[in-house]
C-alpha cells in the first residue's frame, strides 16, 4: 500500500468505527479536492459504506439523486457515483467483490451507513436533516465554511438524537512511500504523534479552527474553556465555579469541562491516546484564547502556597516556566494605563491581587491620568527622537 492509499483507508476505518460506536447512519465528508474525495469514496466502499460522490460536473438531477440517498427517498447503486471514464476505480471495486467483505456482520440488511463525499460543495444550499455526522477530512481555514459544515449535522430530524462533527487525527499521509503491513500499528501511533507535534499540521489546524469557530458562536463553551485554563494553572475548582460560573461540577482539578468532553471523542484506539488528545486541546485552547486565565490560576495557587502578604517577586518563574512575576507587573501597568477590563480587574481582586506593592521595582500607587500621559509622551520622544 502506498502512504496515500493507506491514508484514505485509515480515514474510512475511523468513519466506520464512529458509525458503529455512535450509531451514525448519514455522513457528509468534506475534502480539499475532488481527487481526495474519490479516493475516500473508494476506501469507504471497500469497508462497507454505501458511498457516493458529489462534484461540480454533475447535473442538478444527478446531484439530487445522490442526495436522495441521504434523505432515504431514492434508491440507486452506489457505484454509479463514479465519474464517467474513471475505469480504474471501477475495476478496483469489481475486483473487491470477489473477496470476503470486511464489513459483513457489522450491519444488517439495509443498515449500511450512507456517506456522500464532496470537495466542499455541500456547505450551503443543502437541507438534509437526516445527516447525523459531518467529516472534515481536510482542514478548512474559513470559519464561515466550518460553521456551515457543522450546520449540515445540526438540523433536527425524527429519530436523530444528535449530530456529530468528526475531525480525524493521525490518519493523514506523511510521505509517498510504501507502507509495510507488518508495522501498521506502530506507524499509526507515529503518525498521530507527528501530526500533533506541529502547529502547521492539518490535524492541528483543523482542530484549532473548528474549536475557534465554535467558541465564536458558543459563550458557554468559551466560559468553560477559560475556567478550565484557570484550573490548569493551579486555581481551585470552587474558585473557578464562583469566578466563571462554569458548568463543571465533577470537582476534579484538571478534568476537561463537559463542553470540551463533548468536543473530544477518542477513536478506536480507546483511551490510549486520550492524554495526547487532551494535550492537543490545551495547546489549541491557549493559542485561541490566550494564557491570561492560565496565569490567573498560577497566581491563585501562589497565594495559597505562600504567605498572603508576600508579594510575587518581579523575577518569579513557576515550575512550569511561566514568568508569573512579569505577568503580575504587566497587569499593574495595564491598570495604570486604563487598559485593563473591569471583568479582569474583578477576577484579579477575587484571588487577592494587590494593586500597591512593596517591591521596590514597582510603583507604590496608581498613577494619575496626567502622569500616565506624561510617561507615554516620554516613551514616544525616546522612540522617535522628538
Amino acid at each position: 500500500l502506498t502512504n496515500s492509499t493507506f491514508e484514505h483507508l485509515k480515514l474510512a476505518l475511523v468513519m466506520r468505527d464512529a458509525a458503529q460506536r455512535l450509531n451514525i447512519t448519514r455522513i457528509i465528508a468534506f475534502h480539499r479536492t475532488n481527487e481526495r474525495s474519490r479516493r475516500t469514496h473508494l476506501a469507504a466502499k471497500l469497508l462497507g459504506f454505501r458511498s457516493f460522490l458529489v462534484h461540480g460536473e454533475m447535473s442538478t438531477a444527478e446531484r439530487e439523486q445522490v442526495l436522495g440517498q441521504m434523505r432515504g427517498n431514492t434508491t440507486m447503486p452506489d457505484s454509479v457515483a463514479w465519474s464517467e471514464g474513471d475505469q480504474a476505480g471501477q475495476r478496483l471495486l469489481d475486483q473487491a467483490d470477489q473477496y470476503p467483505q470486511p464489513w459483513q456482520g457489522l450491519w444488517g440488511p439495509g443498515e449500511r451507513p450512507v456517506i456522500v463525499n464532496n470537495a466542499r460543495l455541500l456547505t450551503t444550499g443543502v437541507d438534509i436533516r437526516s445527516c447525523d455526522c459531518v467529516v472534515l477530512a481536510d482542514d478548512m481555514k474559513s470559519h464561515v465554511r466550518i460553521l456551515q459544515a457543522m450546520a449540515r449535522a445540526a438540523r433536527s430530524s425524527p429519530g436523530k438524537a444528535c449530530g456529530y462533527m468528526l475531525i480525524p487525527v493521525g490518519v493523514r499521509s506523511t510521505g509517498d512511500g510504501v507502507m509495510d503491513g507488518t508495522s501498521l500499528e506502530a506507524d499509526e501511533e507515529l503518525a498521530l504523534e507527528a501530526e500533533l507535534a506541529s502547529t502547521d499540521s492539518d490535524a492541528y489546524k483543523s482542530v484549532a479552527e473548528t474549536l475557534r469557530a465554535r467558541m465564536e458562536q458558543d459563550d458557554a463553551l468559551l466560559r468553560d474553556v477559560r475556567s478550565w485554563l484557570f484550573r490548569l494553572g493551579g486555581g481551585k475548582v470552587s474558585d473557578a465555579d464562583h469566578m466563571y460560573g462554569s458548568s463543571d461540577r465533577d470537582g476534579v482539578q484538571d478534568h476537561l469541562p463537559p463542553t470540551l468532553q463533548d468536543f473530544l471523542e477518542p477513536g478506536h484506539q480507546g483511551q490510549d491516546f486520550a492524554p495526547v488528545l487532551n494535550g492537543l486541546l490545551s495547546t489549541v485552547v491557549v493559542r485561541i484564547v490566550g494564557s491570561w486565565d492560565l496565569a490567573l490560576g498560577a497566581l491563585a495557587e501562589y497565594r495559597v502556597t505562600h504567605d498572603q502578604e508576600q508579594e510575587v517577586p518581579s523575577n518569579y518563574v513557576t515550575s512550569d516556566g511561566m514568568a508569573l512575576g512579569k505577568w503580575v507587573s504587566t497587569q499593574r501597568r495595564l491598570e495604570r494605563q486604563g487598559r485593563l477590563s473591569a471583568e479582569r480587574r474583578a477576577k484579579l481582586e477575587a484571588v487577592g491581587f494587590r494593586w500597591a506593592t512593596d517591591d521596590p521595582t514597582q510603583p507604590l500607587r496608581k498613577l494619575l491620568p496626567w502622569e500616565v500621559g506624561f510617561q507615554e509622551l516620554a516613551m514616544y520622544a525616546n522612540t522617535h527622537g522628538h
Side-chain angles (χ1 to χ4, degrees), residues 85-144:
D86 198 346
Q87 299 176 355
Q90 189 58 58
R91 281 200 301 272
L92 285 173
L93 295 180
D94 292 340
Q95 294 170 5
D97 291 337
Q98 302 173 16
Y99 303 99
Q101 298 299 303
W103 48 266
Q104 286 181 347
L106 297 179
W107 298 295
E111 294 179 351
R112 290 164 58 195
V114 175
I115 176 171
V116 175
N117 295 281
N118 76 106
R120 306 179 182 179
L121 286 177
L122 302 180
T123 53
T124 60
V126 177
D127 184 12
I128 307 177
R129 297 179 179 274
S130 58
C131 173
D132 50 9
C133 181
V134 294
V135 179
L136 297 190
D138 298 305
D139 65 302
M140 280 189 181
K141 297 181 176 62
S142 167
H143 291 185
V144 173

Side-chain angles (χ1 to χ4, degrees), residues 312-318 322-327 329 359 361-362:
V312 182
S314 58
N315 61 349
Y316 180 78
V317 178
T318 68
M322 179 186 295
L324 184 62
K326 290 184 177 179
W327 182 84
S329 299
D359 188 334
T361 65
Q362 300 293 334

Side-chain angles (χ1 to χ4, degrees), residues 9-80:
L9 285 172
K10 285 197 293 182
L11 174 59
L13 280 168
V14 168
M15 293 190 294
R16 190 179 72 174
D17 174 69
Q20 286 181 266
R21 290 189 300 105
L22 304 175
N23 196 29
I24 292 170
T25 61
R26 298 290 187 272
I27 302 171
I28 299 178
F30 294 94
H31 303 267
R32 184 166 57 245
T33 65
N34 284 329
E35 178 59 28
R36 291 178 63 80
S37 180
R38 276 192 289 269
R39 290 180 180 181
T40 301
H41 165 62
L42 171 59
K45 277 189 58 62
L46 292 174
L47 292 181
F49 287 95
R50 296 195 60 222
S51 185
F52 302 89
L53 275 173
V54 169
H55 52 83
E57 298 179 1
M58 299 176 71
S59 67
T60 301
E62 290 174 327
R63 173 172 143 170
E64 284 303 312
Q65 188 178 19
V66 171
L67 297 182
Q69 300 300 299
M70 295 288 286
R71 302 186 182 100
N73 54 16
T74 63
T75 301
M76 61 183 292
D78 35 355
S79 59
V80 78

Side-chain angles (χ1 to χ4, degrees), residues 331-347:
Q331 305 315 302
R332 291 196 178 97
R333 176 174 55 80
L334 293 174
E335 167 63 15
R336 291 196 304 269
Q337 296 174 349
R339 295 166 53 195
L340 189 69
S341 69
E343 178 186 359
R344 286 190 170 181
R345 181 185 175 94
K347 284 185 169 64

Side-chain angles (χ1 to χ4, degrees), residues 56 62 77 88 111 133 156 178 211 250 258 281 385:
E62 290 174 327
E111 294 179 351
C133 181
S156 60
V178 176
L211 191 55
D250 63 8
L281 273 185

